[in-house]
Amino acid sequence: MGILDRLFHRPPQHESTGQEAAQRAALAHDEAADAFGDDVERTRDAQERVAQERMSQEEADRRAAADMTAEGDPWG
């Protein structure tokens, strides 16, 4: 059922179920994957990696601060 079918309240066409629907879904998935180039995916992966490194660094800083507090003030 397409957007226009829903807009005009047309009933769904039942002959497009089963194998044909699965083929259309696979084709739509392939087209969506092809919509973005490899450089977009690499950029997204790099951004995710930087975000994870930042989060892990923040977690390491929090642990270090907690360890420092648990041991007491090293300057005192």
Side-chain angles (χ1 to χ4, degrees), residues 60-72:
D61 291 344
R62 269 190 245 122
R63 287 182 185 166
D67 290 344
M68 203 169 164
T69 305
E71 295 173 1

Side-chain angles (χ1 to χ4, degrees), residues 13-76:
Q13 299 172 353
H14 295 289
E15 65 272 358
S16 63
T17 60
Q19 184 68 21
E20 192 175 310
Q23 289 172 345
R24 283 198 326 262
L27 179 62
H29 182 269
D30 291 343
E31 288 176 355
D34 292 339
F36 298 102
D38 292 338
D39 55 339
V40 173
E41 291 183 28
R42 278 187 247 123
T43 302
R44 184 181 53 205
D45 291 343
Q47 289 173 345
E48 289 175 359
R49 191 170 38 254
V50 167
Q52 280 185 333
E53 289 173 0
R54 185 178 304 135
M55 287 176 50
S56 65
Q57 182 61 40
E58 289 174 359
E59 181 64 28
D61 291 344
R62 269 190 245 122
R63 287 182 185 166
D67 290 344
M68 203 169 164
T69 305
E71 295 173 1
D73 188 8
W75 308 111

